[in-house]
Amino acid sequence: MDRHITVNGATVHYTVSEGDGKPIVLMHGWGCNTTTLASIEKVAVDAGCKVYNIDFPGHGESPDPPAVWGVEEYTQVLEKIVDAEAISRPSLLGHSFGGRVGILYSSRHDDVDKLILVDAAGIKPRRSAKYYVKVYSFKAWKKLLYMLMGKEKAEKKLDAYRAKAGSSDYAGASPRMRAILSKVVNEDLKHRMPHIKASTLLIWGENDTATPLSDAKYMERNIPGAGLVSFPGCGHYSFLDNPYQFAAVLRSFLTS
């Protein structure tokens, strides 16, 4: 069932499965949408859950937000849906970017039943010296282009460069979503992890290069009582790389 809600000026699309089982909210990764987590939704429904599956603003059927949002504003989307649907003791599953929202929400809401973080983001990536040389060189080049070409022409040239040199997520995003992506990837949620009281399961691909296994091990150490299951040979989409084992692990955790 399709539903919509307005949060901070953004129209948010989400779906709700039938039934009256234990509620679980699914939150996709960057550049994805509700359909990306369709296989997980099926496992949850089969486990007797009522599933809420969100299209975060700027993804799927939810238009871009009206401003440059951070993790806080996206977490407010989850809070508004939980309130609007009168969801009691929700379980949360977040993949990649959705994990950021799950971490922040769970760190300030004691009524979360279970938290499942799947190849989740939330730890600021370590930066090499080469990265900082690249960043500051780009900033210097940007100032020079503004001086030589004017702001409008310079921005067109800079956008073309960003699309070519950036990640596929960055290249495929609108200008506003690019700004949001730059903001959220630099938000470090380590300080929120010790405040999580929900029963937490980490599911990871051991070959994940976007959110490496070292991130999962940090979360395991710093989220009280968290457990980690990792799959050899799997990457950032472990639930697609190893669907059968993933389903077995998730079903066991949801029904335990």
Side-chain angles (χ1 to χ4, degrees), residues 116-120 201-205 228-229 231 238 246 249-250:
I116 305 105
L117 298 175
V118 183
D119 302 297
L201 174 65
L202 311 166
I203 308 180
W204 235 263
L228 170 63
V229 176
F231 297 138
S238 58
F246 181 92
V249 170
L250 179 59

Side-chain angles (χ1 to χ4, degrees), residues 3-77:
R3 295 186 183 172
H4 295 84
I5 191 172
T6 300
V7 183
N8 296 330
T11 300
V12 183
H13 166 260
Y14 62 101
T15 62
V16 183
S17 69
E18 296 181 357
D20 297 313
K22 294 181 179 179
I24 181 170
V25 183
L26 307 187
M27 298 172 291
H28 61 74
W30 194 268
C32 300
N33 54 55
T34 55
T35 63
T36 311
L37 304 184
S39 61
I40 296 178
E41 180 172 346
K42 185 178 185 306
V43 174
V45 169
D46 289 346
C49 296
K50 182 170 186 175
V51 182
Y52 301 80
N53 195 349
I54 302 173
D55 268 340
F56 281 124
H59 301 80
E61 296 182 32
S62 298
D64 290 3
V68 177
W69 281 14
V71 178
E72 171 61 36
E73 289 79 8
Y74 280 99
T75 303
Q76 289 174 17
V77 168

Side-chain angles (χ1 to χ4, degrees), residues 10 44 48 62 68 89 113 157 170 193 196 200 238 251-253:
S62 298
V68 177
R89 290 195 57 78
D113 185 22
K157 191 172 184 68
Y170 190 91
M193 295 175 188
I196 295 174
T200 303
S238 58
R251 190 179 299 109
S252 176
F253 185 64

Side-chain angles (χ1 to χ4, degrees), residues 140-151 153-154:
W141 183 51
K142 179 179 178 180
K143 288 182 179 180
L144 180 62
L145 286 179
Y146 271 41
M147 291 172 58
L148 296 176
M149 305 175 67
K151 184 176 180 180
K153 290 183 179 179

Side-chain angles (χ1 to χ4, degrees), residues 59 66 82 90 111 163 167 187 197 212 238 242 252 254 256:
H59 301 80
V82 169
D111 64 336
S167 66
E187 294 188 49
K197 294 181 171 58
S238 58
N242 193 342
S252 176
L254 291 176
S256 64

